[in-house]
Amino acid sequence: MEKLRLTAHINDIELKNKMYKVIDKANSCLKNYDIRTTEFLNPFEIKNAKDILNSETDLKYKVDGGYQNAERQLIYIFPYYMEEDDIESNLKVIQIEGNFKFKSISHRDYLGALLNLGIKREKIGDIIIHDNFCQVVVSEDICDFIIINLEKVSKNKVKVKEITVKDIIESEQNFKEISFTVSSLRLDSVIGGVYNLSRSESLKLIKGEKVHVDYEKIISPSKEIKTNSLISVRGHGRAIIEIGDMTKKGRIKIRAILYKQIIK
C-alpha cells in the first residue's frame, strides 16, 4: 500500500503521520499474513483509517474500544480469509479507586497521572469518570505497569486493579443547555458564543490548534459549523451545536448542549 498516494488528501501532519503508521501495520499484515493492531485512535482518525484500509481487498479489519459506545478505539488488521471471531482482544481495563470526597477529580487529573508514568496517550483508550473511581481502557502491554506504579491521582492515594470489559459502567455525562445568537456560522463566532469568549480569544484557540470539530483539528476560523456538529475546545469542554431559525434582526439562533466534563 502506497503511503504517499493514500494520504495525499490529508493536510494535517499529525493525522498523516498516524495514517502512515496504519499503512505500515497493513503492509506488515499483507507481507506476513498475521494480525496487526493500531494504537488508540479517535473517531476522525478511525474514519480516515477505514477509508485507507477499504482500498485493499486482501485485508479485513475490526474496530474495538472495549464497550459499545467507546470513542477511542483500536483497529485490528488481518488477512481477508480470517473472520472477526478469530481475533482475540488485546484490550485491558483498569479501575482506579480513591477517597475523593474532599476534592473533585477530573479527566485531566486521571490522564495526567497516567502520562506522568511515561505512558504515551496512544496507549490509553476511554477514561470513564465516576464519583470515587474511574475505569480506563488500555493496551494490554501497559496494564500491569499501571497497576504496579500508579499510586496517586492529584495528590490523592489510589488503588488500581484490573477488571473485565463486562464490568465497564458508562458514566452519565453532566451537561447544560445554553442559547445565543450569532451573526454567522463561522467557527470563531460559534465558539465565542458557546464558551463566552471574545473574538480574539476564539482566534487564539483556533490558531493554537486547540479546537476540533467532529474530532478533526480545525485551524481555519471561517469554517462553517453545521447542525449536530461536535465542537471540542481544549480546556473548555465539548458542545453539540443545534442551529435554529433567524431572528428578526438577521442573526442565527444557536442552541448548544455543553458538556461540563470530558469523559473520553
Side-chain angles (χ1 to χ4, degrees):
M1 300 180 72
E2 299 177 18
K3 287 183 181 179
L4 295 179
R5 178 178 62 83
L6 291 170
T7 61
H9 62 288
I10 300 174
N11 295 319
D12 185 287
I13 298 301
E14 183 180 350
L15 177 61
K16 189 184 287 283
N17 287 335
K18 287 188 177 183
M19 293 306 104
Y20 281 173
K21 291 181 180 179
V22 172
I23 295 170
D24 284 339
K25 298 281 186 181
N27 283 333
S28 181
C29 177
L30 289 168
K31 180 180 179 180
N32 299 303
Y33 303 100
D34 58 4
I35 302 166
R36 296 291 173 170
T37 310
T38 70
E39 296 179 323
F40 283 99
L41 303 171
N42 70 33
F44 184 68
E45 293 162 350
I46 290 169
K47 177 182 179 299
N48 278 269
K50 283 182 175 180
D51 290 342
I52 289 170
L53 295 172
N54 285 336
S55 69
E56 178 52 68
T57 57
D58 285 342
L59 291 176
K60 287 183 179 179
Y61 59 86
K62 174 184 177 180
V63 181
D64 184 22
Y67 65 106
Q68 184 175 359
N69 294 315
E71 178 181 299
R72 294 175 59 80
Q73 301 183 82
L74 304 173
I75 302 179
Y76 300 92
I77 306 170
F78 50 95
Y80 69 94
Y81 53 81
M82 296 182 69
E83 300 297 333
E84 283 194 16
D85 292 342
D86 299 327
I87 310 303
E88 293 186 11
S89 172
N90 59 4
L91 291 174
K92 296 288 186 178
V93 187
I94 59 171
Q95 184 159 303
I96 304 171
E97 302 173 351
N99 184 0
F100 304 129
K101 67 171 66 175
F102 299 112
K103 182 179 180 182
S104 177
I105 303 299
S106 69
H107 173 278
R108 182 182 299 179
D109 294 321
Y110 285 112
L111 179 59
L114 292 168
L115 297 181
N116 284 338
L117 296 177
I119 296 170
K120 295 195 303 180
R121 182 67 176 98
E122 292 78 12
K123 292 286 187 179
I124 304 169
D126 283 6
I127 299 174
I128 309 167
I129 307 293
H130 298 280
D131 288 341
N132 290 312
F133 68 95
C134 86
Q135 297 171 328
V136 189
V137 184
V138 299
S139 298
E140 65 176 350
D141 58 327
I142 64 167
C143 180
D144 290 342
F145 177 80
I146 295 173
I147 291 173
I148 294 170
N149 291 282
L150 185 61
E151 299 178 345
K152 290 185 178 182
V153 174
S154 187
K155 298 182 180 180
N156 293 270
K157 290 185 177 181
V158 295
K159 295 181 179 179
V160 187
K161 65 181 181 181
E162 183 179 349
I163 61 174
T164 70
V165 293
K166 294 180 180 179
D167 295 320
I168 293 176
I169 304 170
E170 294 190 52
S171 61
E172 296 182 4
Q173 297 198 48
N174 190 12
F175 66 90
K176 66 177 180 179
E177 296 183 16
I178 58 174
S179 299
F180 55 93
T181 64
V182 291
S183 58
S184 77
L185 294 174
R186 285 171 52 108
L187 176 60
D188 55 352
S189 294
V190 174
I191 68 170
V194 173
Y195 303 107
N196 194 25
L197 303 170
S198 68
R199 187 169 184 273
S200 62
E201 289 172 328
S202 297
L203 290 172
K204 185 177 180 180
L205 288 167
I206 296 168
K207 295 300 183 182
E209 301 186 354
K210 295 182 179 180
V211 179
H212 291 73
V213 178
D214 295 326
Y215 305 98
E216 179 183 5
K217 180 170 41 179
I218 303 297
I219 58 174
S220 172
S222 63
K223 177 179 175 62
E224 187 168 298
I225 299 303
K226 300 177 181 179
T227 197
N228 292 326
S229 291
L230 174 62
I231 294 177
S232 175
V233 180
R234 191 181 305 166
H236 293 270
R238 298 178 175 184
I240 295 177
I241 305 301
E242 295 183 10
I243 300 171
D245 299 327
M246 298 278 287
T247 68
K248 292 180 180 180
K249 295 183 178 180
R251 293 179 64 84
I252 305 166
K253 295 179 181 178
I254 299 287
R255 175 176 170 267
I257 301 173
L258 181 61
Y259 293 94
K260 297 179 182 179
Q261 186 180 71
I262 302 175
I263 67 164
K264 301 295 187 182

